[in-house]
Amino acid sequence: MMKKIAFLLLLFVCFGAKASMILLPMDETSQVNHLKAYGITYWALDRSYKANWLLNYRGGSFLLPDTEEIRRECKIRGVSYEILSDAEANSIMDDISSPSQNMETVVLEKAPKIAVYSPPGKQPWDDAVTLVLTYAEIPFTTIYDEEVLSDALLLYDWLHLHHEDFTGQYGKFFGAYRNAPWYIEQKREAEELAAKLGYSKVSEEKMAVADKIRNYVIGGGFMFAMCSATDSFDIALSAEGVDICEPMFDGDASDPNYQSRIDYNNAFAFKDFILERNPVVYEFSDIDTTTDRRILPDNDYFTLMEYSAKWDPVPTMLCQNHTQLVKGFMGQTTAFRADRVKSNILVMGENKQNNEARYIHGTKGKGMFTFYGGHDPEDYQHRVGDAPTVLDLHPNSPGYRLILNNVLFPAAKKKKLKT
């Protein structure tokens, strides 16, 4: 009888200790590859597994079901993981749910369908998001103006815009690169595409694209933009029906006194900005702080804001990281002048020394958008023709983590933003 009882107790203990969950730790010391951990989580969602995003728990860790194929995938991709018993997983969840802890559990339900807005033939390293999605092995579809104008955005949950110019001024590269073969070719291709789509000017065609993207967000889509796609998008929306392009861009003069006709109400994030009229100046407006920055590269950092995970899960998700201090990096649009950001916009990352916002978020209709200043989080001053960033050298990049937070964000069960 005693042997039977002992055997049953042993069986109970073994059953109770059975591993049932996989934790992908996201703190600084435990995770070998933070970026690929997002890819594992996406991969699991894409195979109909549910996942939990443990906000503010060890850097924003992920909790997945314990299966042999998930373990195998972690090993293949070089992602650190820990096996938890039911009791250990429940203990963590109880700790997170405590009112005294600034932590929260967010259920991730479905892998979002991702679209990247990018012209044909663009190199992957021209776009930090394309680069990190490829590195993390997260699938995406590249689309451009024809797809957007034919309402293909309705097929996607998340849209990314990077280093684009929605104003029809070809990136304001005229001053430095007007005679460069690549500039001449890109201008020709843009004009041919506009004509093919039935527009007499590139600026008019880009305005139509911006309008479709605006409606996509208002209808419930998620938009993420970096570098010049941020301010040029808002400028295009605010200048609808106004010619702000000089003759070298569209063949005719701009409207007189066009600055007075800018409608800031149409812009998503920015207000009161003054447009740069000089066509040879590599700048769209005074939204961007690039030319006014007085900071050495070694001292260039921005700070992520801390939110209440239980009351404000949206910005908390978007700010998950293993550090609150993120290395700065430049771009055509490096950062946003703080006094040009609308009051209803959340500034999630800032450099107070320069009075600039680096990482902002807002809502528009039923959808949401995030703007992230700079071009490449691991290439401080990316220039035309520079070699691509090798992410194998930066698998724990805090700057790239912010991009991937936005990629997984649409997978979450939404809770009302209370900030």
Side-chain angles (χ1 to χ4, degrees), residues 79-131:
V79 173
S80 306
Y81 68 95
E82 300 172 9
I83 306 300
L84 303 180
S85 67
D86 278 336
E88 290 170 325
N90 289 335
S91 177
I92 290 171
M93 300 293 272
D94 287 343
D95 189 32
I96 289 173
S97 66
S98 170
S100 65
Q101 299 290 339
N102 185 23
M103 295 186 286
E104 181 63 299
T105 301
V106 171
V107 177
L108 303 180
E109 298 183 295
K110 180 183 176 184
K113 292 183 179 179
I114 298 168
V116 173
Y117 177 85
S118 183
K122 196 169 186 179
Q123 298 297 330
W125 54 84
D126 289 336
D127 180 345
V129 174
T130 304
L131 195 68

Side-chain angles (χ1 to χ4, degrees), residues 28-316:
E28 187 171 8
T29 58
S30 302
Q31 184 53 255
V32 173
N33 197 314
H34 287 91
L35 305 186
K36 285 186 178 290
Y38 287 90
I40 291 289
T41 304
Y42 187 99
W43 179 90
L45 292 171
D46 200 36
R47 282 154 181 76
S48 300
Y49 292 111
K50 290 291 190 291
N52 288 300
W53 198 347
L54 310 183
L55 304 186
N56 291 346
Y57 176 78
R58 295 178 63 180
S61 300
F62 299 105
L63 193 63
L64 307 173
D66 180 23
T67 70
E68 185 57 39
E69 64 172 349
I70 293 178
R71 290 194 195 192
R72 182 172 59 251
E73 202 65 25
C74 287
K75 292 173 184 176
I76 291 171
R77 301 193 190 190
V79 173
S80 306
Y81 68 95
E82 300 172 9
I83 306 300
L84 303 180
S85 67
D86 278 336
E88 290 170 325
N90 289 335
S91 177
I92 290 171
M93 300 293 272
D94 287 343
D95 189 32
I96 289 173
S97 66
S98 170
S100 65
Q101 299 290 339
N102 185 23
M103 295 186 286
E104 181 63 299
T105 301
V106 171
V107 177
L108 303 180
E109 298 183 295
K110 180 183 176 184
K113 292 183 179 179
I114 298 168
V116 173
Y117 177 85
S118 183
K122 196 169 186 179
Q123 298 297 330
W125 54 84
D126 289 336
D127 180 345
V129 174
T130 304
L131 195 68
V132 75
L133 287 173
T134 302
Y135 180 73
E137 301 179 59
I138 296 175
F140 63 91
T141 301
T142 301
I143 64 171
Y144 202 50
D145 293 351
E146 289 184 84
E147 290 84 359
V148 172
L149 293 175
S150 62
D151 293 320
L153 287 180
L154 297 175
L155 302 175
Y156 302 97
D157 304 301
W158 189 86
L159 171 68
H160 165 57
L161 320 172
H162 192 105
H163 198 20
E164 278 295 329
D165 178 5
F166 291 95
T167 70
Q169 298 176 91
Y170 309 106
K172 294 296 290 284
F173 284 115
F174 179 80
Y177 297 104
R178 73 188 81 173
N179 296 317
W182 64 263
Y183 177 84
I184 296 170
E185 179 65 12
Q186 286 185 7
K187 185 173 185 293
R188 181 188 64 79
E189 289 175 350
E191 290 170 347
E192 289 180 354
L193 178 59
K196 176 184 176 182
L197 295 173
Y199 297 90
S200 60
K201 294 183 180 182
V202 172
S203 58
E204 293 174 353
E205 188 256 330
K206 288 296 182 184
M207 179 63 241
V209 170
D211 190 56
K212 286 285 187 179
I213 294 172
R214 169 177 53 194
N215 293 339
Y216 163 78
V217 176
I218 290 173
F222 297 89
M223 182 183 77
F224 176 81
M226 286 188 72
C227 202
S228 60
T230 57
D231 50 351
S232 75
F233 179 76
D234 259 16
I235 290 169
L237 293 180
S238 67
E240 185 169 10
V242 183
D243 188 343
I244 64 173
C245 296
E246 301 305 326
M248 66 284 298
F249 301 128
D250 68 352
D252 57 26
S254 60
D255 289 345
N257 302 315
Y258 64 64
Q259 180 65 53
S260 63
R261 297 175 60 191
I262 297 301
D263 187 349
Y264 302 114
N265 292 322
N266 290 339
F268 274 26
F270 304 115
K271 64 178 182 179
D272 303 334
F273 46 84
I274 306 299
L275 300 185
E276 176 54 63
R277 295 196 67 116
N278 191 336
V280 301
V281 174
Y282 184 57
E283 190 63 89
F284 293 104
S285 74
D286 64 352
I287 294 171
D288 178 37
T289 65
T290 299
T291 57
D292 298 331
R293 304 183 91 235
R294 299 293 181 267
I295 189 168
L296 296 173
D298 289 344
N299 298 327
D300 192 357
Y301 287 84
F302 63 94
T303 304
L304 296 176
M305 302 296 102
E306 185 174 359
Y307 298 92
S308 168
K310 290 179 172 60
W311 287 89
D312 292 317
V314 170
T316 304

